[in-house]
Amino acid sequence: PLEPLLWLAAALSAKETWALPARSTRLIGAGAGTSTRSSVRNTNTRRIKSGAPFLIILGLQARLDGTRWQVVPAYLATVSCTSVSALGKLPGISIPTAVCRLVSLFGVFGSLLSTAAGVFAPVFPMPKPTGPYRVGKTTRLWVDKARRSWLLRTKRKTGTQQLPEHRAMMVNIWYPAVDRGGGG
């Protein structure tokens, strides 16, 4: 799986965003009146392309591993940090240090949250069926009206008396199926 690579991309993009204010003041001060058009064009292209590897990693992970809820914080962290970093590297645009720091901290938090979700709530892929039958799936909502739910409570709109709800469970059922196309 490519999740660790995505976590690394989120952390590195956050690091790049954290260093953005210092880098932009250095570039502005170093090139004051001494750059030619070609060097400015090359520098701007290099600045914009520096975030491309992070977005490529994000796209590869989404395509090869599939998107799932555990990696959404890393997606958001990578995209937000890379966007702010690319925007801050454009000539004539200055992003306040506080904004860079805040987005960078969001990136670190997103990377750590995604790492923790991947470690503590991993997704195990189901093996593909190998038998001679097709596999059907149905989803059912079972409600046990004989018992009250101890988790959910609702209130009447006009009063404060609580009404207990019945226990409910959503169930997925997989079963061997017959091919309806005329085969066995």
Side-chain angles (χ1 to χ4, degrees):
L2 296 175
E3 279 184 44
L5 196 57
L6 179 64
W7 302 331
L8 181 66
L12 289 177
S13 65
K15 179 185 174 210
E16 185 174 311
T17 304
W18 185 272
L20 182 64
R23 187 180 306 127
S24 64
T25 55
R26 243 185 303 137
L27 289 173
I28 291 170
T34 60
S35 61
T36 63
R37 274 189 185 186
S38 62
S39 67
V40 168
R41 188 179 316 122
N42 290 340
T43 304
N44 290 341
T45 304
R46 194 173 345 115
R47 288 180 200 162
I48 293 171
K49 286 183 179 177
S50 67
F54 302 134
L55 297 178
I56 290 171
I57 290 170
L58 186 141
L60 280 174
Q61 192 280 332
R63 179 73 177 134
L64 296 176
D65 278 352
T67 57
R68 50 193 175 276
W69 70 268
Q70 288 93 338
V71 292
V72 168
Y75 289 153
L76 294 175
T78 303
V79 169
S80 63
C81 289
T82 303
S83 300
V84 168
S85 183
L87 187 65
K89 291 177 183 179
L90 292 174
I93 296 178
S94 176
I95 298 177
T97 303
V99 171
C100 291
R101 300 289 194 251
L102 188 64
V103 171
S104 181
L105 289 174
F106 171 73
V108 170
F109 177 73
S111 178
L112 292 175
L113 185 64
S114 183
T115 303
V119 169
F120 294 115
V123 175
F124 299 104
M126 295 290 287
K128 298 226 183 255
T130 58
Y133 300 103
R134 297 178 53 93
V135 176
K137 177 187 168 203
T138 186
T139 303
R140 298 281 187 241
L141 174 64
W142 290 340
V143 179
D144 185 359
K145 294 188 179 187
R147 294 193 247 176
R148 296 178 183 174
S149 174
W150 54 275
L151 292 175
L152 302 174
R153 303 254 182 228
T154 59
K155 294 182 180 180
R156 288 185 182 169
K157 292 182 181 179
T158 58
T160 59
Q161 182 182 2
Q162 293 186 353
L163 298 175
E165 290 187 9
H166 303 290
R167 291 191 181 187
M169 181 174 17
M170 186 66 72
V171 179
N172 289 324
I173 303 169
W174 286 267
Y175 55 91
V178 178
D179 188 9
R180 292 185 188 250

